[in-house]
Amino acid sequence: DAMVIQNPRYQVTQFGKPVTLSCSQTLNHNVMYWYQQKSSQAPKLLFHYYDKDFNNEADTPDNFQSRRPNTSFCFLDIRSPGLGDAAMYLCATSGDRIETQYFGPGTRLLVL
Amino acid sequence: QQPVQSPQAVILREGEDAVINCSSSKALYSVHWYRQKHGEAPVFLMILLKGGEQKGHDKISASFNEKKQQSSLYLTASQLSYSGTYFCGTEIAGGSTLGRLYFGRGTQLTVWP
């Protein structure tokens, strides 16, 4: 089945220790998104790729970076995680910008 | 740019109906509705494009009034499986924000037997 896969499902890191979250998709979608969702809050868009074109949200901290080496994979790098970065990180894909977004199961990040 | 959802929470008995509203201060291109169960990813329900359309499948339907920048999600004869948090995601018309979804804070729906 075509799907959006996120690894790992749970990630524990230490304060200030870089961490990378990964997302892969078998849908062959052009667009990939990263959202941050804190407890009982709405998903908040961090950035998205339209093909290789990177689009950052104005309020996304510099601490968050992303890479998309090919169509199938996208990575979220948190250079120096703080306690406030503990959240669920959701990856989503869509065929084009105005189409349905399909979400992966998410990675729950805990910062100690 | 975040839309406003109401109500924040709804408690229903199985078989009852509910309406969840989503409104934006910006002109919208589309409205997307998702349901999220605790600890899981949001699951797509439906998308409504500008044009005032109404959509539905099974007992869940939605409308979009582009003049008012409002959308409503209608759940009829609710089932236990409808429990979860419902989010609307809005796509603002025009400009560089195309393709970006801004989600409301969610409506927590609980259905009791």
Side-chain angles (χ1 to χ4, degrees), chain B:
Chain B
Q1 290 173 327
Q2 184 180 35
V4 176
Q5 277 187 245
S6 63
Q8 285 187 321
V10 182
I11 299 175
L12 299 172
R13 289 283 185 187
E14 211 173 358
E16 292 181 338
D17 302 340
V19 180
I20 300 171
N21 300 302
C22 175
S23 64
S24 173
S25 60
K26 305 280 188 181
L28 299 177
Y29 182 85
S30 67
V31 180
H32 304 226
W33 284 97
Y34 288 83
R35 176 172 60 213
Q36 185 178 32
K37 294 187 183 277
H38 185 69
E40 299 179 9
V43 173
F44 171 75
L45 293 176
M46 63 187 76
I47 179 174
L48 299 106
L49 303 177
K50 66 178 183 178
E53 64 176 318
Q54 184 157 353
K55 276 193 174 180
H57 58 84
D58 199 12
K59 296 185 174 72
I60 300 176
S61 62
S63 62
F64 176 29
N65 186 326
E66 66 179 285
K67 290 182 180 178
K68 294 184 178 180
Q69 288 89 250
Q70 291 177 350
S71 179
S72 294
L73 185 72
Y74 307 94
L75 300 104
T76 58
S78 58
Q79 305 168 17
L80 297 177
S81 61
Y82 286 5
S83 292
T85 300
Y86 289 77
F87 291 101
C88 70
T90 56
E91 188 172 10
I92 296 170
S96 61
T97 57
L98 193 65
R100 289 167 163 84
L101 281 185
Y102 297 96
F103 285 93
R105 295 178 65 89
T107 296
Q108 189 168 351
L109 184 82
T110 305
V111 182
W112 293 94

Side-chain angles (χ1 to χ4, degrees), chain A residues 40-54:
Chain A
S40 301
Q41 295 185 21
K44 180 182 176 302
L45 182 63
L46 295 174
F47 24 60
H48 76 277
Y49 276 94
Y50 185 81
D51 198 10
K52 295 181 182 179
D53 182 28
F54 177 71

Side-chain angles (χ1 to χ4, degrees), chain A residues 61-75:
Chain A
D62 292 340
N63 199 24
F64 291 85
Q65 304 284 320
S66 185
R67 297 170 282 136
R68 188 179 186 187
N70 54 51
T71 301
S72 301
F73 286 87
C74 195
F75 299 98

